[in-house]
Amino acid sequence: MQSIFGQEPSPDGPGTMDFSELKSSKIEPLRSKNIDFRQQIEYHKSTHSSKNDSQAIEQYAKVASDMSKLTHVGIAGEAQMVDVSSKDNSKRTALACCKVILGKRVFDLVLANQMGKGDVLGVAKIAGINGAKQTSSLIPLCHNIALTHVRVDLRLNPEDFSVDIEGEASCTGKTGVEMEAMTAVSVAGLTVYDMCKAASKDISITDVRLERKTGGKSGSWSRL
């Protein structure tokens, strides 16, 4: 066992090892080499037959298999940009939202348009639209999409002294616009914070999430 794994056998008995031992053994992390994880798994299945070894290898195989389902992760665990050249063009839309909790004092100042930097909601709206158009520059593996429409709406909510932000992005292309919609509301929320931070540092941005999307191979999806 020591000649194979480079360490003494487990005190539980010969031929046993836990998953942490497996990770430090000859099966190296997926990111270390550009090797098909399936070849590594089959090799260790053929050379180690104890019950604990087999369980650890099966657990490793499950993790590796789950990773293979992530489109931005290559077979060796490396980051990759998805090739969408074979996909069909389709009309795609995405709707996202977030909330900025201001607190009563800042809320009243925004409502009265009395913030020192000026029109909070107006500036944040433009920032959100611009943010959607810059998504591929901010998120490394996003495609540069020719957006056909971006909408960002901000609404003051007196129930919890917040700003509710909704963003929608559309395109006709080979990949979806979920990230563009979520970037729009995130940047709009950050802009609200920037416009109001002189009055309070206790502002929080919450609940950034996708609400629905349409188009593409996966079709329509809605949180509701």
Side-chain angles (χ1 to χ4, degrees):
M1 181 71 74
Q2 184 175 4
S3 64
I4 297 173
F5 293 105
Q7 60 184 25
E8 294 295 332
S10 168
D12 294 333
T16 63
M17 61 182 293
D18 59 23
F19 189 56
S20 63
E21 291 173 328
L22 179 66
K23 291 190 292 184
S24 63
S25 72
K26 293 293 184 179
I27 297 183
E28 300 177 6
L30 290 177
R31 291 178 176 80
S32 63
K33 293 182 180 179
N34 188 21
I35 298 175
D36 188 335
F37 64 81
R38 291 168 295 188
Q39 295 176 359
Q40 297 186 34
I41 293 166
E42 291 304 320
Y43 170 77
H44 282 273
K45 280 184 177 179
S46 65
T47 55
H48 307 298
S49 58
S50 74
K51 181 179 179 181
N52 283 3
D53 282 5
S54 296
Q55 290 175 345
I57 291 170
E58 291 301 325
Q59 185 176 358
Y60 178 88
K62 182 179 184 303
V63 172
S65 177
D66 289 342
M67 287 184 65
S68 70
K69 298 174 184 177
L70 300 175
T71 58
H72 285 83
V73 179
I75 196 168
E78 79 283 7
Q80 65 177 6
M81 190 172 188
V82 179
D83 184 355
V84 299
S85 58
S86 63
K87 292 186 176 183
D88 295 329
N89 286 323
S90 68
K91 175 67 181 296
R92 300 167 184 267
T93 66
L95 180 73
C97 69
C98 79
K99 180 184 287 287
V100 184
I101 307 296
L102 300 175
K104 187 178 187 310
R105 186 173 67 85
V106 178
F107 180 89
D108 290 341
L109 290 172
V110 175
L111 180 63
N113 197 17
Q114 294 298 308
M115 295 302 303
K117 287 190 174 182
D119 180 9
V120 173
L121 303 187
V123 173
K125 179 184 181 75
I126 299 301
I129 293 172
N130 192 56
K133 295 189 293 183
Q134 298 298 320
T135 299
S136 63
S137 298
L138 299 170
I139 312 297
L141 301 180
C142 280
H143 292 81
N144 190 349
I145 296 176
L147 294 169
T148 56
H149 177 67
V150 178
R151 173 181 62 84
V152 178
D153 291 329
L154 298 93
R155 181 178 64 86
L156 288 169
N157 186 345
E159 294 182 2
D160 56 3
F161 306 115
S162 69
V163 181
D164 292 331
I165 305 176
E166 184 177 271
E168 184 176 32
S170 303
C171 80
T172 299
K174 297 176 179 292
T175 188
V177 288
E178 293 96 323
M179 293 308 302
E180 283 69 20
M182 287 194 286
T183 299
V185 299
S186 299
V187 171
L190 288 168
T191 302
V192 170
Y193 187 97
D194 178 64
M195 298 286 287
C196 300
K197 67 180 186 292
S200 173
K201 302 296 190 294
D202 194 35
I203 299 166
S204 61
I205 303 169
T206 68
D207 300 330
V208 178
R209 62 189 188 185
L210 180 69
E211 290 294 339
R212 66 172 182 267
K213 57 85 64 177
T214 65
K217 184 178 179 180
S218 61
S220 297
W221 176 88
S222 176
R223 186 172 296 276
L224 301 178

